[in-house]
Amino acid sequence: MQSDRPTRAAASAASRPVGRGPKVRAAVLAATLTELAETGYAALTVDNVAQRAGVHKTTVYRRWQDRETLVVAALTEHIAADIPIPDTGAVETDLRLLARGLIGWATSPSGRAVLSVMLSDAIRLPEVAEARRHIFEDRVRRAAPVIVRAVERGELPGGTDPAEVVRTLAAPVYFQLLITGEPLDEAAADRAARIALAAARATP
Amino acid sequence: MQSDRPTRAAASAASRPVGRGPKVRAAVLAATLTELAETGYAALTVDNVAQRAGVHKTTVYRRWQDRETLVVAALTEHIAADIPIPDTGAVETDLRLLARGLIGWATSPSGRAVLSVMLSDAIRLPEVAEARRHIFEDRVRRAAPVIVRAVERGELPGGTDPAEVVRTLAAPVYFQLLITGEPLDEAAADRAARIALAAARATP
């Protein structure tokens, strides 16, 4: 019993700087994403996450039962990533800005962390696959008004599927990021917008 | 000196079943791709590759100095993957078949192996990044006649960039494979063809 005390005291002291409740939660989930981005899913340990967050690992295990639960929570927490939803009054400009926002996210530390999990073996876990599905559904849902407004303005055909346009916009961005490794500059965003627009206009 | 003999004899015996020269080379590179597909780049060892190929690891080290050299050789060997280049006389059908061929490759064991290396930390090695660039340049070069013929038939505008069309065709396939995880069926191939065609026709 006595030998257990110093550990508990140390844990308590270590967790104090970030406070309790929501602050601890935010710190641990942010640390999880940073660890994911730096070391990848395979090498991720609760120990390293706890150390980076400045809490004892028992603090982590009290909230998340294991590594997988922790990773899913970190992904889910960052679903509503700040990709700005533009409303400039012109669909081409809106789509260009949307593509730039996506590029900004995908090349940011938290975007890279989320992607590294999705591209790792972790995607075989049903919870991670579900988190991935949820992330992209949320993206599409949040970006849909851009397409709806374009249809209302008569810039896109009536009955255009917003989800389809968002997917067509995202595909060239991820292709360059993951497959060809070309730089994701403004020209890449404009190209993605041009493709999505052409495909939407050509759809019967 | 004497203690070295049994090892050499064992190595010689182990390498005999697949023969010498080109056969050994092919067996080791195929084993490398299979190991990559099953365990990923991070977990790949020359020991496992040698065991799978039925050769002694000294046989591997005699030809490839390390793990990286071996992986680059395996990738390069499979650059000219058999993606059939169609010539049906109609650009839309050609693009659909091309997309189906790409899907067939990307979901095959060797395709998955090549992709798993490209998406791993190995891509930080200049040789692997160079192999990736080489693979995609080769793809584009081999598929370009499909676009050139479509321009000659007047199905696509003069001056259409074949590389651009091939990239636009490939992007939705990889997006579904790597990001959304949706099934890559014939409808997915047809959708990619439709997008590439619309984008090519809308390009000024």
Side-chain angles (χ1 to χ4, degrees), chain B residues 31-195:
Chain B
T32 304
L33 279 186
T34 310
E35 280 288 315
L36 282 171
E38 288 184 8
T39 68
Y41 177 75
L44 185 92
T45 66
V46 170
D47 268 5
N48 289 347
V49 168
Q51 199 174 347
R52 185 180 286 271
V55 303
H56 194 270
K57 68 174 175 177
T58 53
T59 306
V60 178
Y61 281 120
R62 211 176 299 134
R63 287 169 174 83
W64 299 279
Q65 65 187 26
D66 53 27
R67 202 167 79 112
E68 284 68 35
T69 317
L70 182 60
V71 167
V72 170
L75 291 179
T76 310
E77 194 85 355
H78 281 75
I79 282 177
D82 268 337
I83 297 187
I85 306 301
D87 185 10
T88 64
V91 66
E92 187 159 2
T93 319
D94 278 1
L95 291 178
R96 285 178 176 190
L97 293 175
L98 205 53
R100 284 181 202 182
L102 174 60
I103 289 172
W105 174 80
T107 55
S108 73
S110 79
R112 279 186 293 118
V114 169
L115 288 171
S116 84
V117 182
M118 289 183 181
L119 297 171
S120 76
D121 283 354
I123 202 64
R124 291 178 195 164
L125 300 168
E127 298 81 6
V128 173
E130 173 65 19
R132 171 174 74 173
R133 200 180 59 75
H134 194 36
I135 286 176
F136 286 97
E137 282 181 359
D138 186 76
R139 289 279 168 80
V140 166
R141 191 184 53 71
R142 287 170 16 92
V146 166
I147 317 304
V148 171
R149 288 192 289 261
V151 171
E152 285 168 359
R153 286 191 302 261
E155 292 183 291
L156 289 177
T160 299
D161 177 7
E164 178 66 14
V165 180
V166 175
R167 287 153 45 93
T168 309
L169 183 74
V173 171
Y174 285 106
F175 182 66
Q176 287 192 215
L177 179 70
L178 304 173
I179 300 294
T180 68
E182 292 159 294
L184 282 168
D185 49 17
E186 294 196 349
D190 295 351
R191 179 176 171 268
R194 190 178 58 70
I195 291 169

Side-chain angles (χ1 to χ4, degrees), chain A residues 111-155:
Chain A
R112 279 187 293 119
V114 169
L115 288 170
S116 84
V117 182
M118 290 183 180
L119 298 170
S120 76
D121 283 355
I123 202 67
R124 291 177 194 164
L125 300 168
E127 298 81 5
V128 173
E130 172 65 21
R132 170 174 74 172
R133 201 181 58 74
H134 193 36
I135 286 175
F136 285 97
E137 282 181 359
D138 186 76
R139 288 280 168 79
V140 166
R141 191 184 55 70
R142 287 172 13 96
V146 166
I147 317 304
V148 172
R149 287 192 289 259
V151 172
E152 284 168 0
R153 285 190 303 259
E155 292 181 291

Side-chain angles (χ1 to χ4, degrees), chain A residues 31-112:
Chain A
T32 305
L33 279 185
T34 310
E35 280 290 313
L36 283 170
E38 287 184 8
T39 68
Y41 178 74
L44 185 91
T45 66
V46 170
D47 267 5
N48 290 346
V49 168
Q51 199 174 349
R52 185 181 286 270
V55 302
H56 195 269
K57 69 175 174 177
T58 53
T59 306
V60 178
Y61 281 120
R62 211 176 299 135
R63 288 170 173 82
W64 300 278
Q65 65 187 26
D66 54 26
R67 203 167 79 113
E68 285 68 33
T69 317
L70 183 60
V71 166
V72 170
L75 291 179
T76 310
E77 193 84 357
H78 281 74
I79 282 176
D82 269 337
I83 297 187
I85 305 300
D87 185 9
T88 64
V91 67
E92 186 158 3
T93 319
D94 278 1
L95 290 178
R96 286 179 175 191
L97 292 175
L98 205 53
R100 284 182 202 182
L102 173 60
I103 290 172
W105 174 79
T107 56
S108 73
S110 79
R112 279 187 293 119

